[in-house]
Amino acid sequence: MTSALASLRLHPADSIVILTGAGISKESGLDTFRCAVGIWSQVDLEDVATPQGFARDPDLVHRFYNDRRRGLHDPAIRPNAAHVALAGLERRWKGSVLIVTQNIDDLHERAGSTRLLHMHGELLKAFCQHCRTVVDCHGDLSVHDHCLTCGRKGGMRPDVVWFGEMPYHMERIQQALADCDLFVSIGTSGNVYPAAGFVAEARAGGAHTVELNLEPSEGASHFHGAVHGPATEVVPAFVRDLLALV
Ligand code: APR
């Protein structure tokens, strides 16, 4: 039993909210953002992850996300033991399990999770800035693409939430945080709001809060408990302990 759960009383019908970040996909081969060799050390986020950057140089932004989309289609990129353990928790837990992910990859879905909200959007979707229609997107995007719904050119962009934009599903997320009994944060540095504030919201609603991360995050002191280590080790062990509690 991890010390993060040692004093916890959970009931079979209790509800769990799990926030995930780039760290959970690291051992699947996808880069995180803020480590020494992370994505934001290779490109300027102002250029590729803001509406202003897209307006300035849409070709650059399309190249950045096209490369990442191709990376996601690499057969070597697969869900790891942490994604699989969370999908197993959803299947076996009698109460509700909701994953709120900051990740734009599809590894939770591929592992079998079905109750999942992508608060920062999805790499495998695009939308038209003119008519807001969202479509599946598995190939490259370019400024020459026409929207299949409104027919206009130049407005297609990745369905990814950029800095300065409102994350998706916030009402549902805030309700789930207020109602949950256990909040678990996995593989996120706690640098980016509103996700970084979820632990405080869950605590305010009375939830027990646990961080599972390679190292203490920025917000580590806000959690009741923590287990530090690689996600593929600490997440399956934590899920085993949780299922043994009830
Ligand atoms: N297992 C668990 N945690 C890990 C692992 C691992 N194998 N590898 C790295 N980590 C941890 C790091 O220690 C770090 O605390 O994952 C965290 C990743 O942090 P970030 O790179 O900041 O990623 P994230 O928190 O998801 O970023 C939030 O920032 O730029 C935006 O939109 C982007 O959704 C992203 C948001």
Side-chain angles (χ1 to χ4, degrees), residues 18-30:
I18 298 165
L19 172 69
T20 64
I24 197 169
S25 296
K26 174 69 182 170
E27 291 161 89
S28 291
L30 297 178

Side-chain angles (χ1 to χ4, degrees), residues 80-136:
N80 64 46
H83 300 102
V84 171
L86 295 184
L89 179 66
E90 181 192 315
R91 277 196 306 278
R92 295 173 61 193
W93 189 257
K94 290 193 174 58
S96 90
V97 176
L98 174 69
I99 297 176
V100 177
T101 189
Q102 297 169 91
N103 298 343
I104 58 174
D105 66 55
D106 64 343
L107 297 181
H108 283 303
E109 292 91 324
R110 284 200 239 164
S113 290
T114 62
R115 295 204 66 236
L116 173 68
L117 298 175
H118 278 278
M119 65 179 292
H120 290 169
E122 294 175 64
L123 192 53
L124 300 183
K125 290 195 173 151
F127 76 90
C128 171
Q129 295 200 118
H130 302 303
C131 71
R132 313 298 295 187
T133 301
V134 178
V135 292
D136 288 340

Side-chain angles (χ1 to χ4, degrees), residues 37-96:
V37 292
I39 293 171
W40 297 149
S41 74
Q42 300 159 28
V43 285
D44 189 336
L45 71 83
E46 297 287 342
D47 289 336
V48 299
T50 62
Q52 295 79 3
F54 187 57
R56 247 189 337 264
D57 192 347
D59 285 320
L60 174 79
V61 176
H62 282 313
R63 271 201 306 281
F64 174 73
Y65 289 100
N66 288 344
D67 284 349
R68 295 186 67 199
R69 197 174 299 107
R70 285 190 213 133
L72 201 51
H73 288 313
D74 180 334
I77 304 295
R78 289 190 299 269
N80 64 46
H83 300 102
V84 171
L86 295 184
L89 179 66
E90 181 192 315
R91 277 196 306 278
R92 295 173 61 193
W93 189 257
K94 290 193 174 58
S96 90

Side-chain angles (χ1 to χ4, degrees), residues 20-24 26-27 32-35 40 45 102-103 120 161 163 186-192 212-217 229-232 234:
T20 64
I24 197 169
K26 174 69 182 170
E27 291 161 89
T32 59
F33 292 94
R34 292 178 180 76
C35 71
W40 297 149
L45 71 83
Q102 297 169 91
N103 298 343
H120 290 169
V161 176
F163 287 93
I186 303 174
T188 176
S189 59
N191 266 280
V192 177
L212 307 179
N213 205 51
L214 193 58
E215 61 204 350
S217 73
T232 56
V234 298

